[in-house]
Amino acid sequence: MSHVMNTYARQPVAFVRGEGVWLWDESGKKYLDALAGIAVNTLGYNHPRLTRALTERISSGVLHTSNLWRIPLQEAAADRIAEITGLDEVFFCNSGLEANEAAIKIARKYGHERGIAEPAIIVMEKAFHGRSLATLSATGSRKVQAGFEPLVSGFVRVPLNDLEAVRQVAEHNRNVCAVMVEPIQGEGGINVSRLEYLRGLEEICERNQWLFISDEVQCGLGRTGKWFVYQHAGFLPDVVPLAKGLGSGVPVGACVVGGRAQGVFKPGNHGSTFGGNPLAMTAVVATLDTMKEEGVLAYAARVGTLLSDGLRAALGGAKGITEIRGMGMMIGVEFDEACGELVKAALDAGLVINVTVDKVVRIMPPLVMSEAEGREVVSRFAAVARAFLDRRAAA
């Protein structure tokens, strides 16, 4: 019996080796990875540049020194993140929820500095921002919140893609100081914000001097064919929480700020023992440099289009499939009822996917996937999905 706490409904498969976008389990069976550890393994597996950089870092003997001292690699990573985001200051942490927690603290401090005694943040229905008490309170899922009440106050919830709802809050609630939005909701089912909606939100924030927090933990860092979704919409947010793909599998998060949020955090306002450690910073620098030098963003856009087009051609209009949606290499296939059994069926077919909100299949491969491998994802998934729909129709 395992002593690991039972907090996950695990599949009975253990992956022990990886190469490119392929994984092998303990028995030697080979799988095509269309999930990337839930949008984490940006460069796939055993990328020579990342492996070499991490090996050299471990060999140096210095994995951790503490933020009491200068960490030159942290400065190098921050410079790279500032360049790709267009923002100014980077706080390093270890996960997406920590990056979002920092964003919430920044918004509250900003509100207090503007004379608001009880600052409030507008958040979206079906959002997911993490599982700490503050971030699960910001999350729009009763399933995530249930049993952990009392929730943290200070969040006002509105539907995604509804500017009028935000305008109504602006008119009636003087405590609001920020809007927090995932431009593409990941855990919520690959729900895509319209670009004109994001631009409208930014205008409301500008008019009211609110912070615009763009949670790009799952959808950022090249997954949509640009570094960040807000770049598709053509503006700069004030706060951008990042994690997942930032270190290609090494745990790391970052809360990036600029605009109205610049300078809000001062010495002593926030901290993290492990945040910005040399091992994680090695992974960040190697990941970002590799993505730039290998043209990974253009690649992700091209293969993402191939995946979307292929899935629509193979399954679009099939009875039982509601919608195929997403951007770049972040794709959701929504079924009209629960489809969790597809995860096991796909594994049997040598394909790694997952299902969120019970009926949306998430397809988010490593960004280094080739066109041929993308076509293979479509082929394997289409066969698994059709067999599932046929079984259901026969029943």
Side-chain angles (χ1 to χ4, degrees):
M1 175 185 148
S2 170
H3 293 283
V4 175
M5 189 178 284
N6 183 24
T7 55
Y8 302 98
R10 297 185 197 270
Q11 293 293 321
V13 175
F15 299 118
V16 295
R17 185 167 74 85
E19 190 72 38
V21 298
W22 298 90
L23 288 164
W24 285 261
D25 69 14
E26 293 166 305
S27 70
K29 181 176 176 178
K30 185 179 180 184
Y31 300 80
L32 180 53
D33 182 13
L35 186 62
I38 315 183
V40 167
N41 300 317
T42 303
L43 300 179
Y45 302 92
N46 200 27
H47 191 288
R49 182 161 178 168
L50 179 67
T51 300
R52 185 168 61 249
L54 291 173
T55 302
E56 287 172 3
R57 171 48 47 194
I58 290 167
S59 299
S60 77
V62 181
L63 302 186
H64 177 83
T65 58
S66 160
N67 286 297
L68 295 172
W69 327 110
R70 272 190 64 225
I71 303 175
L73 265 169
Q74 188 181 122
E75 295 162 11
D79 288 347
R80 284 161 172 77
I81 291 172
E83 181 189 339
I84 63 173
T85 57
L87 301 179
D88 304 292
E89 299 175 343
V90 186
F91 172 83
F92 286 106
C93 49
N94 311 286
S95 67
L97 91 73
E98 290 177 51
N100 280 327
E101 190 90 14
I104 291 165
K105 285 181 68 175
I106 287 167
R108 287 192 170 191
K109 191 161 187 296
Y110 174 78
H112 281 288
E113 287 174 357
R114 297 179 67 221
I116 301 172
E118 296 186 2
I121 302 170
I122 293 177
V123 291
M124 307 301 156
E125 293 174 3
K126 301 181 181 176
F128 182 88
H129 297 295
R131 293 178 183 273
S132 66
L133 284 173
T135 55
L136 73 79
S137 300
T139 289
S141 164
R142 280 302 299 148
K143 186 176 174 183
V144 170
Q145 296 168 343
F148 300 108
E149 298 84 356
L151 300 178
V152 175
S153 62
F155 298 102
V156 180
R157 202 170 307 285
V158 298
L160 187 70
N161 282 318
D162 186 344
L163 283 178
E164 188 51 38
V166 179
R167 292 189 192 103
Q168 288 295 319
V169 175
E171 198 174 315
H172 296 106
N173 190 332
R174 296 297 163 204
N175 288 331
V176 172
C177 62
V179 169
M180 188 173 192
V181 62
E182 298 165 275
I184 304 175
Q185 294 179 334
E187 303 298 320
I190 316 296
N191 303 314
V192 183
S193 299
R194 294 191 304 271
L195 296 184
E196 62 268 26
Y197 167 75
L198 293 174
R199 285 189 282 264
L201 267 188
E202 196 272 336
E203 287 164 15
I204 294 170
C205 287
E206 187 71 39
R207 193 177 317 124
N208 292 281
Q209 293 296 290
W210 296 344
L211 300 186
F212 189 118
I213 304 170
S214 188
D215 173 358
E216 304 230 8
V217 167
Q218 189 164 145
C219 63
L221 294 161
R223 187 144 291 279
T224 62
K226 290 186 183 288
W227 284 108
F228 304 103
V229 180
Y230 65 80
Q231 292 169 343
H232 290 279
F235 66 88
L236 281 179
D238 301 289
V239 185
V240 181
L242 301 174
K244 287 197 181 287
L246 186 56
S248 293
V250 175
V252 61
C255 185
V256 194
V257 305
R260 287 181 284 275
Q262 188 175 352
V264 171
F265 267 175
K266 295 177 175 60
N269 285 154
H270 201 48
S272 168
T273 296
F274 297 111
N277 68 77
L279 180 65
M281 297 301 96
T282 299
V284 171
V285 170
T287 297
L288 297 181
D289 285 355
T290 302
M291 289 176 75
K292 276 186 186 173
E293 289 169 27
E294 295 188 1
V296 167
L297 268 66
Y299 210 67
R302 190 166 68 246
V303 179
T305 300
L306 180 152
L307 285 166
S308 292
D309 290 351
L311 289 166
R312 288 194 181 100
L315 296 169
K319 186 173 168 51
I321 292 182
T322 307
E323 189 180 17
I324 298 169
R325 57 180 177 264
M327 285 178 76
M329 280 201 185
M330 187 170 184
I331 300 164
V333 181
E334 182 169 355
F335 289 73
D336 62 4
E337 59 182 62
C339 63
E341 67 186 73
L342 281 170
V343 175
K344 174 69 167 60
L347 285 171
D348 291 344
L351 180 67
V352 181
I353 57 168
N354 98 314
V355 171
T356 189
V357 294
D358 296 328
K359 56 184 185 178
V360 179
V361 171
R362 272 191 294 193
I363 293 176
M364 303 188 296
L367 300 189
V368 293
M369 177 169 276
S370 72
E371 292 185 27
E373 290 159 341
R375 282 189 284 272
E376 186 64 22
V377 168
V378 171
S379 170
R380 292 189 187 193
F381 179 69
V384 166
R386 278 198 214 96
F388 167 74
L389 293 171
D390 289 346
R391 278 195 310 276
R392 200 180 71 174

